[in-house]
Amino acid sequence: MNKKNFLSYFNASAKDWRDWRWQFGNRVTRLETLENIFRKTVLNKDLFKAVNPFYPMAITPYYLSLIRNNDTKDAIFSQCIPHPQEINFDKSAEDPLQEDSHMPVPKLVHRYSDRCLAIVTENCATYCRHCNRKRFWSPTKLISLNARLQKMIRYLIRSPQIREVIISGGDPLTFNNKTLEKILASLKAIPHIEVLRIGSRIPVVMPMRVTKELCSILKRYRPLWFNTQFNHPNEITTESARACQMLQEAGIPVSNQSVLLKGINDSAEVMKNLLYGLQKISVRPYYLFHCDPVKGCTHFRTDPKKGIIMMEEIWKQSSGLCLPQYVLDVPGSAGKIPLNVMSKAIKNDLKNHKHFFDKFQ
Ligand code: SF4
């Protein structure tokens, strides 16, 4: 369904479409809505109903409108429509990177000495089916922003080694401007916090959230870095390019962290188009993550050797500006193991983490 048909289905105006609150308020969360939109759907109702209690669905009309074919061969469809394989829990864990055991206070992940990750919300504009934090989608115990922020700030004040805070979630840009500014201001007020970073998929799934007002707020908290997640060239649209450009014009560098996803971007041709497309909108390809062995994501994982061969092919043809680091994230503070080229050192690293690496086969 194209944008025009979406507007008529939702009885909305073009102005509504450009309003992020409208997009957020009209997220598609029910099977019946999908069936109406797609008319003929490939969804198996029973399986959909089985997946939904574990991993609910929420998709902005904008992101849904990027679907070109109503089936799992479509890169956007696969990233946002629930799949029966999500409840095949073989060889996977809720939290393979053991983030939960590195939380000195609720929702603050401290794995590396000089930086930490603040999970400020569990909300997202669109739930990505491959998300490595999908365990948060139906939180058993909700912690209010005020409660978590107070504890985070107290921990940060007594941790002078931390110089950078990554504000993530969920998606922090699902907050309104006032709440977002409160988070930024509280962190910036800590003297030893030198750099803030926002991790958000908003430019990809709800680019209209990037407004002049938002940019003028973010500008006040520089140095502030922005990491987003484009996974497929079809996600690079006029709207998403405009959102990235507005951030860049406010002096916020925008980088991209893709995830290698089976059937979506695990071919050299698709990945090259994605990387070239990002370069054209001045977004730096920063990381390509090997998909973590997360419960509910088994069907997205590829063999790392396939990823290495693919990246070597791209590496031979492309400028360094287009090349992300292909990495495997491992638990604890060991960090991200680069997989770009199978050097001897990397092979040894893989051997050291064999127990973890084996899960990817
Ligand atoms: S926006 Fe980020 S946190 Fe939210 S579902 Fe997607 S990948 Fe997960």
Side-chain angles (χ1 to χ4, degrees), residues 122-134 137 168-171 199-202 205 229:
E122 283 76 27
N123 252 336
C124 296
T126 291
Y127 287 131
C128 315
R129 308 320 300 180
H130 57 274
C131 177
N132 68 356
R133 295 202 186 107
K134 61 200 295 185
W137 293 356
S168 188
D171 201 313
S200 166
R201 239 199 144 189
I202 282 293
V205 297
Q229 188 198 128

Side-chain angles (χ1 to χ4, degrees), residues 49-298:
K49 283 178 186 154
V51 174
N52 218 37
F54 289 95
Y55 303 120
M57 173 179 79
I59 315 164
T60 57
Y62 164 81
Y63 195 64
L64 207 52
S65 77
L66 303 185
I67 291 178
R68 297 180 185 179
N69 301 300
N70 303 347
D71 60 45
T72 50
K73 290 194 188 78
D74 186 281
I76 312 295
F77 186 102
S78 301
Q79 286 185 74
C80 66
I81 306 285
H83 190 284
Q85 281 295 328
E86 287 178 58
I87 48 175
N88 167 7
F89 296 137
D90 283 3
K91 281 176 89 180
S92 53
E94 291 265 353
D95 178 22
L97 299 180
Q98 297 165 11
E99 288 185 329
D100 293 350
S101 57
H102 287 83
M103 285 184 187
V105 293
K107 306 293 177 182
L108 187 92
V109 184
H110 192 186
R111 285 173 66 197
Y112 309 103
S113 79
D114 71 337
R115 59 199 183 278
C116 65
L117 172 80
I119 296 168
V120 292
T121 178
E122 283 76 27
N123 252 336
C124 296
T126 291
Y127 287 131
C128 315
R129 308 320 300 180
H130 57 274
C131 177
N132 68 356
R133 295 202 186 107
K134 61 200 295 185
R135 67 188 184 280
F136 291 156
W137 293 356
S138 309
T140 44
K141 198 172 147 212
L142 271 176
I143 309 173
S144 73
L145 175 64
N146 277 347
R148 67 178 87 182
L149 204 53
Q150 270 180 16
K151 287 185 180 146
M152 286 176 183
I153 300 291
R154 278 206 290 268
Y155 178 79
L156 289 168
I157 289 173
R158 55 174 201 269
S159 308
Q161 77 279 21
I162 299 178
R163 56 176 292 276
E164 181 177 355
V165 179
I166 300 150
I167 305 161
S168 188
D171 201 313
L173 293 196
T174 53
F175 284 127
N176 62 30
N177 287 348
K178 197 171 155 208
T179 307
L180 187 66
E181 176 143 34
K182 181 176 144 183
I183 299 169
L184 294 168
S186 327
L187 296 170
K188 194 74 176 178
I190 303 170
H192 56 269
I193 302 298
E194 297 169 346
V195 178
L196 297 177
R197 202 194 307 180
I198 287 183
S200 166
R201 239 199 144 189
I202 282 293
V204 181
V205 297
M206 193 171 69
M208 40 297 279
R209 173 67 184 95
V210 181
T211 58
K212 273 191 208 156
E213 296 71 35
L214 174 72
C215 290
S216 66
I217 291 171
L218 298 182
K219 199 174 180 173
R220 290 201 278 279
Y221 296 93
R222 288 184 297 166
L224 191 154
W225 298 68
F226 195 103
N227 280 350
T228 191
Q229 188 198 128
F230 286 89
N231 289 324
H232 192 273
N234 292 0
E235 294 171 335
I236 303 176
T237 63
T238 310
E239 290 93 334
S240 61
R242 183 187 142 277
C244 294
Q245 189 182 344
M246 286 176 71
L247 291 166
Q248 290 151 1
E249 283 172 0
I252 316 287
V254 184
S255 302
N256 191 63
Q257 304 189 153
S258 300
V259 185
L260 184 64
L261 299 168
K262 190 177 189 173
I264 293 177
N265 60 13
D266 61 342
S267 80
E269 193 193 343
V270 172
M271 184 54 68
K272 197 171 80 176
N273 286 339
L274 171 65
L275 300 174
Y276 284 12
L278 291 170
Q279 195 194 20
K280 282 202 282 190
I281 60 168
S282 308
V283 171
R284 180 194 163 208
Y286 176 38
Y287 278 132
L288 170 63
F289 282 106
H290 192 79
C291 188
D292 298 323
V294 174
K295 199 167 172 178
C297 299
T298 319

Side-chain angles (χ1 to χ4, degrees), residues 2-56:
N2 61 26
K3 177 180 154 189
K4 204 170 144 208
N5 294 340
F6 266 95
L7 291 179
S8 122
Y9 177 79
F10 284 101
N11 196 17
S13 65
K15 191 170 166 223
D16 290 331
W17 186 265
R18 291 192 299 272
D19 180 346
W20 74 271
R21 288 173 190 284
W22 182 89
Q23 290 282 344
F24 195 72
N26 284 283
R27 291 181 306 160
V28 173
T29 56
R30 297 171 59 238
L31 173 66
E32 292 72 25
T33 320
L34 273 190
E35 287 181 324
N36 288 337
I37 290 173
F38 292 136
R39 286 190 208 110
K40 188 177 126 248
T41 177
V42 294
L43 290 170
N44 176 318
K45 280 187 199 182
D46 292 337
L47 285 172
F48 184 93
K49 283 178 186 154
V51 174
N52 218 37
F54 289 95
Y55 303 120

